Every structure is written in structure tokens, then in C-alpha cells.
Amino acid sequence: MIKNVMAGFWVCAVTLASCYAAITWTVGKAPVEDKGNYEGLQYKKLPAMNIPVIAEGAVQGYVIANLVFTADAKTLREITVPPEAFIQDEIFRHVYADETLDFRKLSRYNVNGMISNVREKINKRLGAEIVKEILVENFNFVDKSAIRS
């Protein structure tokens, strides 16, 4: 009876050892490919912009805009010029020079048209499709009388 029990333990030990060896053995195993980090889109928040609204020869108030843009993470690392300055410049130019943006006579403003126009101009200035999307976090007008000095 003891011989049978010892033989059973021996068979179990050999089976466990062979399973462990088969799992951990690396010969003939395909090399693991280094996939690197996920390179998807990167979101970058721009600092708040204060754009003066001038009408009738005086400052009437300020447009305050908080924006976020998305770009390919790999492209952002490779380019030498940061796109943040270009985005802020184009937004400022567009809002400052836009004659249809009149806060004294409120009407619906075409934000999608502004954003797509600005994005096209930025990518044209940068020479590549870097900025994928511009997101509006906040876009408000503050009247000159509401500003504390």
C-alpha cells in the first residue's frame, strides 16, 4: 500500500515539474514585440485669453476664452515650435477683427465656423495637420462696467 501512495506522489511531483518547465521554457518562443506607449491624441489646455472688444472708439469690454486643443502626441513631441502660441494668436485675431461679434446686439454666434476657420489657419501656418480639434471650455463677454479696477 505504501508503494502505491509513494508512486502516486512521485507521479504528481513529476507532472507538476514538467508543467512548470513547459510554461517557463523560452526556447522556440516568439520574441515579444515592443509596442511602445499608446500614442493617441493629447489634450492641452491654453491659458485664459482676454480679448478687448472695441466699438465707437473705446473698449466696450473683454471676451474671455478658455480653450483646449487636441493634437497627436507623437507629432507634438517631434515639432520644434509649440502650437499654443499660434492657436492663441489666431483666436485673438479672429475674435478681435470679427465684425459680426457684437455684444450690444446679442445674436447666435457661429462658434463651429470660427473654430474650423481658426484650425485651418493654424495648420496652414504650421505646415502640417497638427491641431486636430479645438474645444471651447469657456467663452464669455465681460462688460467694461463689470470690471473692478
Side-chain angles (χ1 to χ4, degrees):
M1 170 89 169
I2 288 200
K3 285 186 179 182
N4 287 339
V5 172
M6 292 302 283
F9 280 129
W10 177 251
V11 170
C12 288
V14 170
T15 304
L16 287 174
S18 64
C19 287
Y20 177 76
I23 290 172
T24 59
W25 194 22
T26 59
V27 175
K29 191 175 180 182
V32 177
E33 293 181 23
D34 185 20
K35 294 181 181 179
N37 297 334
Y38 177 70
E39 295 292 334
L41 292 178
Q42 183 174 0
Y43 290 82
K44 287 211 168 197
K45 186 174 182 177
L46 298 171
M49 297 177 60
N50 299 318
I51 305 165
V53 175
I54 300 175
E56 301 169 1
V59 174
Q60 301 299 315
Y62 294 89
V63 172
I64 300 172
N66 293 15
L67 304 170
V68 177
F69 75 94
T70 62
D72 184 50
K74 185 177 179 183
T75 307
L76 279 179
R77 282 194 310 270
E78 292 173 353
I79 61 174
T80 57
V81 179
E84 290 90 345
F86 290 97
I87 295 170
Q88 287 180 314
D89 180 59
E90 282 298 329
I91 292 288
F92 187 92
R93 288 175 191 241
H94 191 83
V95 172
Y96 186 78
D98 193 358
E99 296 292 330
T100 63
L101 190 60
D102 187 6
F103 288 97
R104 292 171 294 165
K105 300 174 188 166
L106 289 177
S107 63
R108 194 170 280 201
Y109 185 67
N110 185 6
V111 177
N112 290 337
M114 177 191 76
I115 294 298
S116 65
N117 188 11
V118 166
R119 186 176 49 81
E120 288 173 12
K121 286 182 179 180
I122 293 165
N123 287 331
K124 185 177 179 183
R125 284 175 69 179
L126 293 173
E129 184 71 24
I130 294 173
V131 177
K132 303 294 182 192
E133 192 171 357
I134 299 174
L135 308 170
V136 177
E137 188 175 291
N138 189 8
F139 192 79
N140 288 322
F141 175 74
V142 178
D143 191 58
K144 186 179 177 184
S145 63
I147 298 173
R148 290 183 276 161
S149 35

